[in-house]
Amino acid sequence: MERRIYEAVVEGNIISLLNLLQEDALILDRITPELAGVFDSRKSSPLHLATSKGYLDIVKILVSVNPEMCFVCDRDGKNPVHIAAIKGHVSVIKEFVKGRPNAARMLTERGETILHAFVRFDQLEAMEFLVEAINDHEFMNSEDDDGNTLLHICI
């Protein structure tokens, strides 16, 4: 059963997840906290994977069960919010900012903010949302480990 839930999360298959819930209505109560803390070979959690695919409903479930996973970094030093920024999944970013706004302020292993990721990966719609949501001049002018601000990497 655990494997089937993991596969449903990775695939973003809500129908499979609902079918599993019909088989055992309490399965998420028993297994999701455990599943939410499992990592693959890249140190990615199910939350990283669901975020990468933009599976908002699954992200909501995983965050509600284990909100601290928003702060856990993968092998590349990125938390799930960084992954959402790179992929430009605005609805997922909104969920993180609503539920765990400090996760959006975490730095990558290179000292980059989520804003740096928006610029590097040309995710301007997502960046516009976050800038309005956070509205913090100091955060907007953050430098990475090389001293680069957003303006430096735009050039």
Side-chain angles (χ1 to χ4, degrees), residues 45-149:
S45 68
L47 184 57
H48 284 88
L49 300 173
T51 297
S52 176
K53 298 291 187 176
Y55 300 148
L56 180 60
D57 292 333
I58 293 176
V59 167
K60 287 179 180 180
I61 292 168
L62 292 171
V63 170
S64 72
V65 170
N66 192 345
E68 295 309 307
M69 290 304 290
C70 296
F71 300 100
V72 175
C73 293
D74 64 12
R75 184 174 76 184
D76 298 323
K78 294 175 179 68
N79 70 18
V81 185
H82 296 128
I83 303 298
I86 290 167
K87 298 290 187 168
H89 297 305
V90 178
S91 60
V92 174
I93 294 167
K94 286 179 182 179
E95 184 66 25
F96 284 125
V97 169
K98 181 175 75 175
R100 286 289 188 242
N102 287 336
R105 293 180 177 271
M106 281 184 64
L107 302 178
T108 66
E109 65 181 11
R110 294 179 46 202
E112 293 181 325
T113 67
I114 188 175
L115 299 173
H116 287 88
F118 288 141
V119 173
R120 282 196 195 287
F121 293 93
D122 197 29
Q123 301 297 346
L124 302 182
E125 178 187 350
M127 183 169 129
E128 182 180 345
F129 161 75
L130 191 70
V131 167
E132 289 175 11
I134 291 184
N135 193 18
D136 179 339
H137 182 72
E138 187 176 322
F139 181 65
M140 288 290 302
N141 291 301
S142 296
E143 295 180 356
D144 65 15
D145 288 347
D146 296 324
N148 294 318
T149 64

Side-chain angles (χ1 to χ4, degrees), residues 1-2 4-5 20-38 61 65-66:
M1 185 68 92
E2 291 177 23
R4 291 169 55 201
I5 289 176
L20 291 169
L21 287 171
Q22 284 181 343
E23 289 177 36
D24 183 352
L26 299 176
I27 189 68
L28 288 180
D29 292 332
R30 287 194 308 279
I31 212 160
T32 307
E34 180 181 321
L35 179 64
V38 173
I61 292 168
V65 170
N66 192 345

